[in-house]
Amino acid sequence: MAPTVSKRSFAAAALLLKLTAAYLADDGTVVIPGAASYNGLNLVPQMGWDNWNAFGCSVNESLLLDTAQAMVDYGLRDLGYNYVILDDCWSIGRNASGYQVPDPVTFPNGMKYIADHLHSMGLKFGMYSSAGLFTCGKRPGSLGYETQDAEFFAANGVDYLKYDNCFNQGQSGTPKLSFDRYNVMSQALNATGRPIVYSLCNWGDDNPYDWAYTISNAGRMSGDIYDSFNRPDDRCPCTVNPCNWPGFHCSVLNILNKMAPIQSRTMSGYFNDMDMLEVGNGGQTDNEYVTHFSMWAMMSSPLLMGTDVVGLSPANLAIYSNPAVIALNQDPSAAAGSRIWRHECNDTDQYGQCEQSLWMRGLKNGDTVIALINGANSTQTMNASLSDIFLDARTAGTSKPAAQLEEMWDVYDLWANRMSNEEAAAILARNSTTAPAVITANSTSTTRYNTTAMSYADGLKANATALFGKKVGSVPAHGTWTASIPRHSTGLYRLRMAGSGGMGKRDEL
Ligand SMILES: *[C@@H]1O[C@H](CO)[C@@H](O)[C@H](O)[C@H]1NC(C)=O
Ligand SMILES: *[C@@H]1O[C@H](CO)[C@@H](O)[C@H](O)[C@H]1NC(C)=O
Ligand SMILES: *[C@@H]1O[C@H](CO)[C@@H](O)[C@H](O)[C@H]1NC(C)=O
Ligand SMILES: *[C@@H]1O[C@H](CO)[C@@H](O)[C@H](O)[C@H]1NC(C)=O
Ligand SMILES: *[C@@H]1O[C@H](CO)[C@@H](O)[C@H](O)[C@H]1NC(C)=O
Ligand SMILES: *[C@@H]1O[C@H](CO)[C@@H](O)[C@H](O)[C@H]1NC(C)=O
Ligand SMILES: *[C@@H]1O[C@H](CO)[C@@H](O)[C@H](O)[C@H]1NC(C)=O
Ligand SMILES: *[C@@H]1O[C@H](CO)[C@@H](O)[C@H](O)[C@H]1NC(C)=O
Ligand SMILES: *[C@@H]1O[C@H](CO)[C@@H](O)[C@H](O)[C@H]1NC(C)=O
Ligand SMILES: *[C@@H]1O[C@H](CO)[C@@H](O)[C@H](O)[C@H]1NC(C)=O
């Protein structure tokens, strides 16, 4: 599963597989092409918008193009949200040659017209189908028509396919059945020659996180999300993965906790998709939406806005636009965080729930991010000791003291520089007279960032101010970070080794 192997096993592998194009990377690791992203795409999690959560089947050409324009005007495209994804309900059937026919009423100019418009705006076009007889909305599915549908997508300039699991004719129940069914579309897309990100939507059914990374770029790992922070729902019966009835109506904390056991199955080119974001849809408090967004970033989930972007409120634009949190999601490490501990607590909320947890994730530049989640019904003081944060370093191989515990760490709050509602409102007003300044590569803004001008990877190397939040303290060697976390909220902190500027490589510790 690992994209790189040791030099010794590499020699054996090369002999067996006659891999001629493998090479040694700058850092000495062996790179075997095809062992990371299967098609070279989606090296960091995809970002964009999908209409489903907010609009369901009420889709049309103007919804897509108006949303795309808002994504450009609000700076969202330049934060990295570059896929505009048309979900279910666009097809009315097949023609005599077996090709899908877009609804002529809602899409009077066809799909190529939309793709061309999006491309001219610097955006990409995503479409949807199902690996079944029908889609979930009972439109034509692609099972048995994979070749025609892949050709249709390629011919219409589609850059991304979301591929659902409804009406699969019983071709599920074992990983091999699901693998084979999803692999047909993978091969069909490849055969078109057009680079198309392939995103599975099979709800974690048959454990895609254990087999889908050689045929796809992302895979859903749970039943569908709904706009609730933690309300249990019988239609989403599992609380851990693996799960034999994924269901739907899964809350934010339900989905997050299902990521804990499978976190190692996230890698560059294949991301565990925690489903589209609900931020903006009205069912959660601001702190709950901050937690939702923080943890989707922390776990390298795709960040797909699932709301009415045109009508975003200032507060919700500010959440979607936090560059320090997006930089965490887009970190070149392309890994998911680990849950270090999770406790139940007694201060329960209206659903009788109370839980607290600590998560950590190592980043490419040697920084470490921690998240303290308070699911109690009131503000709590929460602690993260270095000993807990660096648990993996303590317990790796033969047990030894973790070098990280001997260091002092500066702590940066990734939400401290959240854009004010005034600044967000000025952006949303789309008034050229009062619009905030354009963001350039050398911008010193602490609230805004432009990945079109400079990638997150380069911005992180260059210490771009917007990507690091605000320094709020430090933790001495063997110390503990203590923070007061409000009800249903998250403290999200980037720890940088003091003195080195945090740029020390993990290997050098
Ligand atoms: C397109 O869809 C949006 C969202 O459902 C709706 O508000 C709008 O009225 C529709 N426009 C047309 C022309 O049907
Ligand atoms: C069916 O649609 C495809 C692709 O849009 C087109 O090339 C083909 O000519 C159509 N066939 C018929 C019989 O209309
Ligand atoms: C098709 O698959 C091959 C082998 O995995 C890969 O090198 C190539 O980039 C793929 N092409 C497309 C268009 O996905
Ligand atoms: C919760 O309440 C029980 C019973 O009163 C008590 O034993 C336990 O220590 C409490 N747990 C916490 C985390 O406060
Ligand atoms: C939770 O907190 C709210 C106020 O924030 C309070 O109204 C409620 O009674 C508390 N307890 C429960 C079980 O909801
Ligand atoms: C957190 O640490 C503070 C100060 O070290 C201590 O007073 C408090 O009891 C700790 N809280 C918990 C829940 O461990
Ligand atoms: C843009 O802002 C200016 C200055 O506040 C104002 O005079 C003008 O009416 C606004 N334009 C629109 C279209 O709202
Ligand atoms: C981002 O930079 C590009 C040029 O690199 C520019 O066209 C665009 O307007 C900038 N976007 C924002 C939101 O400032
Ligand atoms: C920032 O970059 C622009 C061009 O990208 C340049 O014109 C400007 O002088 C630079 N500003 C600073 C302060 O370096
Ligand atoms: C980033 O900042 C640290 C100090 O905070 C410094 O050591 C490092 O050289 C900086 N990197 C760049 C490219 O400026």
Side-chain angles (χ1 to χ4, degrees):
M1 177 210 102
T4 58
V5 296
S6 75
K7 286 176 196 178
R8 199 167 35 177
S9 61
F10 165 66
L15 205 67
L16 282 172
L17 302 174
K18 296 191 171 61
L19 290 168
T20 49
Y23 60 92
L24 280 174
D26 291 347
D27 63 2
T29 52
V30 177
V31 178
I32 298 179
S37 173
Y38 87 107
N39 57 1
L41 304 176
N42 227 34
L43 301 183
V44 292
Q46 70 266 34
M47 295 176 65
W49 172 78
D50 180 301
N51 66 263
W52 184 259
N53 283 355
F55 297 99
C57 275
S58 302
V59 288
N60 55 54
E61 178 185 295
S62 54
L63 173 67
L64 299 188
L65 297 182
D66 291 351
T67 300
Q69 189 60 53
M71 286 164 70
V72 173
D73 294 347
Y74 299 167
L76 292 164
R77 175 199 63 189
D78 294 326
L79 280 161
Y81 295 96
N82 58 3
Y83 288 100
V84 172
I85 302 166
L86 167 59
D87 211 286
D88 203 350
C89 305
W90 58 268
S91 170
I92 56 160
R94 294 186 182 276
N95 70 17
S97 322
Y99 289 87
Q100 301 231 34
V101 179
D103 187 326
V105 175
T106 48
F107 297 98
N109 299 298
M111 294 305 168
K112 182 76 165 41
Y113 173 87
I114 293 174
D116 289 347
H117 261 247
L118 295 177
H119 293 156
S120 74
M121 298 167 86
L123 293 163
K124 296 177 182 171
F125 187 29
M127 285 188 72
Y128 164 99
S129 189
S130 178
L133 195 56
F134 306 109
T135 67
C136 299
K138 300 200 177 78
R139 306 302 176 102
S142 295
L143 191 65
Y145 291 91
E146 289 87 352
T147 302
Q148 284 100 326
D149 288 359
E151 284 173 2
F152 177 92
F153 296 133
N156 282 281
V158 170
D159 306 294
Y160 179 108
L161 175 64
K162 172 178 176 178
Y163 203 42
D164 219 327
N165 194 28
C166 283
F167 299 99
N168 62 34
Q169 301 293 88
Q171 294 183 38
S172 68
T174 71
K176 178 72 170 139
L177 278 172
S178 287
F179 177 93
D180 288 347
R181 182 164 45 92
Y182 279 95
N183 191 27
V184 179
M185 181 57 92
S186 179
Q187 302 301 324
L189 290 172
N190 187 275
T192 68
R194 183 176 175 83
I196 297 176
V197 167
Y198 182 38
S199 181
L200 308 193
C201 177
N202 78 329
W203 327 315
D205 210 18
D206 293 333
N207 313 339
Y209 34 82
D210 211 21
W211 49 259
Y213 35 77
T214 57
I215 59 166
S216 66
N217 299 112
R220 284 275 305 284
M221 45 57 68
S222 78
D224 286 3
I225 193 170
Y226 82 134
D227 190 9
S228 169
F229 181 67
N230 69 336
R231 181 187 166 278
D233 191 300
D234 286 343
R235 288 162 289 184
C236 177
C238 297
T239 54
V240 293
N241 265 329
C243 164
N244 70 3
W245 187 256
F248 62 111
H249 267 220
C250 300
S251 71
V252 164
L253 286 192
N254 174 282
I255 293 172
L256 173 64
N257 283 319
K258 282 178 186 157
M259 277 296 291
I262 63 167
Q263 68 81 225
S264 69
R265 298 304 201 263
T266 284
M267 63 196 80
S268 183
Y270 182 83
F271 296 97
N272 278 304
D273 181 352
M274 298 163 73
D275 208 356
M276 300 161 290
L277 295 155
E278 295 281 6
V279 177
N281 290 337
Q284 300 180 50
T285 66
D286 191 81
N287 280 337
E288 291 170 344
Y289 280 145
V290 163
T291 299
H292 178 20
F293 192 70
S294 297
M295 297 315 292
W296 266 231
M298 183 79 163
M299 303 311 284
S300 277
S301 174
L303 295 181
L304 299 174
M305 299 180 288
T307 194
D308 174 10
V309 170
V310 176
L312 268 178
S313 70
N316 290 318
L317 178 68
I319 293 175
Y320 280 124
S321 300
N322 185 333
V325 179
I326 300 173
L328 161 62
N329 178 260
Q330 298 287 295
D331 192 82
S333 56
S338 305
R339 193 177 69 198
I340 302 296
W341 51 253
R342 178 192 188 194
H343 302 314
E344 293 194 350
C345 40
N346 286 336
D347 181 18
T348 55
D349 62 14
Q350 68 270 40
Y351 303 124
Q353 306 287 308
C354 187
E355 67 172 272
Q356 298 180 319
S357 53
L358 169 66
W359 301 69
M360 73 79 73
R361 174 176 168 193
L363 302 180
K364 175 82 171 178
N365 70 355
D367 292 354
T368 294
V369 171
I370 61 169
L372 280 165
I373 299 181
N374 177 24
N377 200 41
S378 60
T379 300
Q380 300 287 327
T381 300
M382 291 184 69
N383 295 331
S385 68
L386 292 185
S387 178
D388 279 349
I389 294 167
F390 295 108
L391 172 80
D392 283 2
R394 276 199 293 125
T395 55
T398 51
S399 181
K400 58 179 183 205
Q404 288 91 334
L405 269 56
E406 308 301 328
E407 303 289 340
M408 175 182 262
W409 295 84
D410 289 334
V411 179
Y412 293 75
D413 182 342
L414 298 186
W415 282 101
N417 287 336
R418 172 177 170 166
M419 179 187 284
S420 69
N421 285 349
E422 290 69 28
E423 186 175 4
I427 294 170
L428 292 168
R430 296 202 255 198
N431 181 330
S432 57
T433 312
T434 55
V438 168
I439 302 294
T440 60
N442 54 19
S443 163
T444 54
S445 170
T446 56
T447 56
R448 300 177 71 208
Y449 190 74
N450 189 338
T451 187
T452 308
M454 185 187 271
S455 71
Y456 285 105
D458 288 344
L460 288 167
K461 278 188 203 149
N463 292 331
T465 46
L467 304 185
F468 290 90
K470 182 181 174 192
K471 187 175 165 188
V472 290
S474 53
V475 188
H478 294 277
T480 293
W481 178 249
T482 298
S484 176
I485 313 290
R487 169 188 188 272
H488 287 197
S489 190
T490 297
L492 189 67
Y493 307 98
R494 181 185 275 259
L495 274 54
R496 317 194 80 193
M497 204 189 289
S500 74
M503 304 307 283
K505 287 261 165 52
R506 269 177 293 172
D507 291 347
E508 291 162 10
L509 289 169

